[in-house]
Every structure is written in C-alpha cells, then in structure tokens.
C-alpha cells in the first residue's frame, strides 16, 4: 500500500484521529486508584463501537507465528514499557505510572496514539521522566517536514534525552501507519544508521513514539509473549501521536488528548 496518502485518506485519518484522541482522554480520566484495567478496556471498546470503529490492536500479530494480542487497550504499568494487557485482575494502584496506548481502524484507515499518566503521589524523578518523555516527542516532531530524514527524528529525541541520563529503548521504534498498524518507515528514537536514507515526503503518515526509562535501554519480553518490561526493572514512560508530513512541517492526525 502506498506510503503517501491522498487528501481524501488524510481526511479519513483526521476523523479517526479525533475519535482516538477523545477516547484516550476518557481512559486517562478514568485511570484512578482501584480501577481494573478491564474496565478501561471496556471504555475503549464502547467508544469505538459507538462510531463504527474497530480496535486495531485486538487480534494483532507482529509476525504470523506470534500469539494474537488479546486487548484493544495496551496498559503498561511501572517497569512495563509497552504492550501490557488490560485484564480483569490488574488493578491500578496508588503511585503507578501507567502507559495507555490505543489504535483505531476508522473509515478503512489506522491511527495510533499513547500517553502516560501518573496515579496519585509519585516522586519527582517519575514526574521528570514523564515530562521529559512527552517533551522528547515534541522535539522529534519539531524536525518533521518534507525532505527531512527519518534519522533527524531520532537525533532530536536523543539530543534531548541523553544528557538527562535516561535510557532510550532501542529495540522498539515508531513507524508509518495508515493502511496498516505498522508500515514503513521504522522510526528509531535514537541516531540509527539504517534510518539515514529515508526522506520524508508530504502525505506520509507517521506514528512517533519515544519509550524512555529511568534506567538503561534494555528490555525483555514476559512469558505472556507480549508485555515488554525494562531489563533492570526501572520505570518507563511512552507517548505517541500520529501525524501527516507536510511541505514545511506536520499536521496532527491525533490531537493531544
Ligand atoms: N503503539 C504500539 C506499537 O506501535 C501498539 C502495538 S499494537 C499491539 O507498537 F497489538 F502490538 F500491541
Ligand atoms: Co505505534
């Protein structure tokens, strides 16, 4: 499928992106002490159903041999980086740092976004991590425009994050999106040589998503086959938006929630 989307497709993406952002806002507002992750999952499914949309993560497989992802909403708590699950027994607790990530199929087009919230009282180092991760996404976005290289995004994120001593997850990246949940290009959140030669063009749709830790960049996957956690057990934060590349910048497809 073409990486450059037509103006008509971009209109569809924006309608989907607006719904996605409103849904994420609703989940964030309900992410409180004592709520079960299953209840938050229900909110997502209901909101999408109301408008005739479909959760894009539910049943998703990264490769054909993988288990299908069982939820509409990825909830990643504390040392979980991404792809944590929304299950009945998982209850949000005081002091948790919670990544909320959703994807939507709407009018045939896919959008993707994520935010991290803190629940109740957390220390200044956690607030620092969350704020820096969100700011790093803005730094990455600031270099997006036609003619820029995918590599410029990772360089901007790394230049902001590395001096703070945080870890930048290296084994997972942002990605193109629109006709599929994951499309080319892969968008590393650090300077990566393989990304160098991919020039951005107007009409490309990108999901940029820095994953930042209070420890090292190293991650591992849990036995459930999906949940990604930091290897050193340190907390992690994750923010993501979908944007359309324009001649002199970008347009937000998923408004900030
Ligand atoms: N935003 C995440 C990503 O792009 C969501 C993945 S969907 C899942 O990797 F189904 F793989 F969980
Ligand atoms: Co994504």
């Amino acid at each position: 499928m073409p990486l450059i989307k037509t103006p008509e497709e971009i209109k569809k993406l924006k309608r989907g992106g607006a719904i996605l952002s409103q849904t994420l806002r609703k989940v964030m507002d309900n992410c409180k002490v004592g709520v079960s992750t299953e209840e938050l999952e229900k909110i997502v499914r209901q909101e999408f159903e109301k408008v005739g949309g479909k959760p894009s993560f539910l049943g998703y497989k990264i490769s054909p041999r993988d288990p299908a992802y069982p939820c509409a909403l990825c909830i990643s708590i504390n040392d979980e980086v991404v792809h944590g699950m929304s299950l009945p027994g998982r209850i949000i607790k005081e002091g948790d740092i919670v990544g909320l990530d959703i994807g939507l199929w709407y009018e045939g087009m896919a959008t993707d976004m994520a935010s991290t919230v803190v629940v109740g009282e957390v220390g200044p180092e956690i607030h620092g991590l969350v704020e820096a991760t969100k700011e790093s996404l803005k730094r990455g976005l600031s270099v997006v425009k036609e003619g820029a290289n995918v590599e410029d995004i990772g360089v901007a994120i790394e230049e902001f994050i590395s001096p703070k001593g945080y870890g930048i997850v290296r084994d997972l990246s942002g990605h193109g999106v629109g006709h599929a949940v994951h499309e080319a290009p892969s968008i590393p959140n650090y300077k990566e040589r393989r990304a160098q030669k991919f020039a951005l063009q107007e009409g490309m749709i990108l999901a940029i998503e820095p994953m930042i830790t209070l420890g090292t960049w190293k991650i591992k996957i849990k036995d459930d086959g999906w949940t990604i956690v930091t290897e050193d057990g340190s907390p992690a934060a994750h923010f993501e938006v979908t944007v359309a590349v324009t001649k002199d910048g970008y347009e937000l497809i998923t408004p900030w929630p």
Side-chain angles (χ1 to χ4, degrees), residues 19 55 66 71-72 74 76 82-83 87 93 108 113 115 127 135 139 165 173 176 179 183 217 225 232 249:
I19 295 161
D66 285 337
C71 314
C74 298
S76 307
V82 287
H83 306 169
L87 302 171
K93 298 188 306 299
M113 78 183 304
S115 187
H127 281 294
E135 178 62 26
R139 299 291 174 110
S173 299
H179 292 305
E183 294 180 15
W217 59 269
D232 58 11

Side-chain angles (χ1 to χ4, degrees), residues 57 83 101-102 112-113 173-175 177 181-182 207-209 238 240:
F57 301 166
H83 306 169
D101 187 356
I102 48 179
D112 192 353
M113 78 183 304
S173 299
H175 50 91
V177 65
V181 175
H182 293 126
I208 303 178
E209 50 178 321
H238 174 220
E240 177 174 23

Side-chain angles (χ1 to χ4, degrees), residues 91-109:
I91 310 295
I92 302 295
K93 298 188 306 299
E94 171 73 24
D96 278 347
I97 162 176
V98 185
L100 302 163
D101 187 356
I102 48 179
L104 173 66
W105 279 112
Y106 188 71
E107 298 186 53
M109 305 298 293

Side-chain angles (χ1 to χ4, degrees), residues 118-132:
V118 296
V119 178
E121 297 278 310
V122 299
E125 63 290 348
I126 297 287
H127 281 294
L129 172 71
V130 172
E131 286 315 307

Side-chain angles (χ1 to χ4, degrees), residues 33 47 83 163 165 175 202 208 220 229 238 251:
V33 174
E47 291 300 308
H83 306 169
H175 50 91
E202 183 170 29
I208 303 178
K220 58 186 184 188
V229 292
H238 174 220
E251 216 178 343

